[in-house]
Amino acid sequence: MNKEELIKQTAKELFFSKGYLHATTQEIADAAGVNRSLINYYFRSRDLLFQTVYREAVESLKSQIDEVVYAAVEFKEKVERFIDVYMKELLKYPYREAFLITEICSKNFALKEKKKSASLGHFLQEIEQEMDKGTIEKSEPVQFMFNLFSLMALPVIMRPLYQKLLDISNDNYDKLITERKQLILTQIFK
């Protein structure tokens, strides 16, 4: 792995896996085992490194989700695959959503692409069709998406708090998370 990729991977690990959402350039350099000036050489600034990691994270997840959304399978299987992809990524990078939200809300961060994703529009149409068929509860299709993402993300994002409040061991929490897919499907399909 070259130094530039090592820096990006280290930053991604710090931001998304360990939750160091505001890691400094020095902290990233130390974790990568490189000189801080090397980060500035490749990325010019910490903000540009953040934007690079953000963009790559969004593109990676988007390509995986696009593959699922455009798959020629029944809607329920598509949702199952969607849950699998999203939960796998969420468990690997539990702080990614917090990082993305923090960066999107940052006053210094400009979103380059403000248009709605074609795959999201396609998926919302499929949701509406399934509502018309009666396989899922009729509502605004965006409400279905809210529910789906909430059911997937909240228990992972809130893990430290839930484990403390409910006195749940790591092993038991992992077991509960692996049981989520079936629970989610039961909740959203009639």
Side-chain angles (χ1 to χ4, degrees), residues 1 3-24 27-29 31-32 39 43 46 48-64 88-100:
M1 177 182 313
K3 296 287 185 188
E4 181 179 8
E5 198 57 38
L6 173 66
I7 293 166
K8 283 193 298 189
Q9 285 304 112
T10 301
K12 186 177 179 179
E13 183 73 23
L14 288 175
F15 302 150
F16 301 160
S17 295
K18 296 193 177 357
Y20 301 148
L21 303 182
H22 299 288
T24 65
E27 290 169 327
I28 296 165
I39 293 175
F43 300 99
R46 188 183 102 201
L48 288 176
L49 173 58
F50 283 173
Q51 288 185 18
T52 300
V53 171
Y54 166 85
R55 186 182 68 253
E56 289 182 6
V58 169
E59 288 170 3
S60 171
L61 186 59
K62 184 183 180 323
S63 69
Q64 291 178 67
K88 180 181 144 230
E89 285 290 302
L90 193 59
L91 290 169
K92 185 176 180 181
Y93 301 117
Y95 296 97
R96 183 175 52 198
E97 274 64 21
F99 173 80
L100 297 177

Side-chain angles (χ1 to χ4, degrees), residues 156-173:
V156 176
I157 292 169
M158 298 294 289
R159 181 180 185 139
L161 179 63
Y162 288 165
Q163 279 189 267
K164 274 204 180 304
L165 286 176
L166 302 170
D167 193 28
I168 303 172
S169 71
N170 279 329
D171 288 342
N172 284 341
Y173 206 90

